[in-house]
Amino acid sequence: MRRVIYKAEVIIGDDGKIKVTSYANRMLGSLLYDFNRAIQETRQRLNGEADWKQSYIHFEHDGVKYRQINSTEYCKGCVFLRDVNGRGCQHPHYLDGTKGDCTGRIYIIEKDS
């Protein structure tokens, strides 16, 4: 059994908004990323910033229509997945800051009927 301490600073502002800062611990490896993502998603939900994640997103980019669907496996089957290890999102709005973190819903190409 290995015991590792995870540290995070939680600040509640005068306006009631919560801010969380996770501190690195090399012994956690990639678990630090997963913990931090879960904590940040909880913070967004508590601050009322994650309401948009309850809606499915449909958008068009370069003439291709995309829509979001539920998935039981994180990113598996998403058309924007960069590699088979589930790393790297190639969503066209990911790096501009408007997409936010992955919600576990994947994107598929919408077929014209």
Side-chain angles (χ1 to χ4, degrees), residues 52 92-101:
W52 66 270
H93 302 290
Y94 185 74
L95 293 177
D96 68 9
T98 59
K99 179 179 180 282
D101 292 330

Side-chain angles (χ1 to χ4, degrees), residues 57-72:
I57 298 171
H58 300 255
F59 73 95
E60 186 173 338
H61 182 73
D62 288 342
V64 180
K65 293 180 183 178
Y66 300 95
R67 78 179 157 99
Q68 223 176 24
I69 62 171
N70 273 333
S71 175
T72 56

Side-chain angles (χ1 to χ4, degrees), residues 15-18 40-54:
D15 59 355
K17 296 285 185 179
I18 299 170
Q40 296 304 330
E41 287 178 4
T42 301
R43 177 196 57 79
Q44 287 178 340
R45 187 174 41 79
L46 292 172
N47 285 341
E49 299 167 358
D51 297 337
W52 66 270
K53 291 183 178 183
Q54 302 306 315

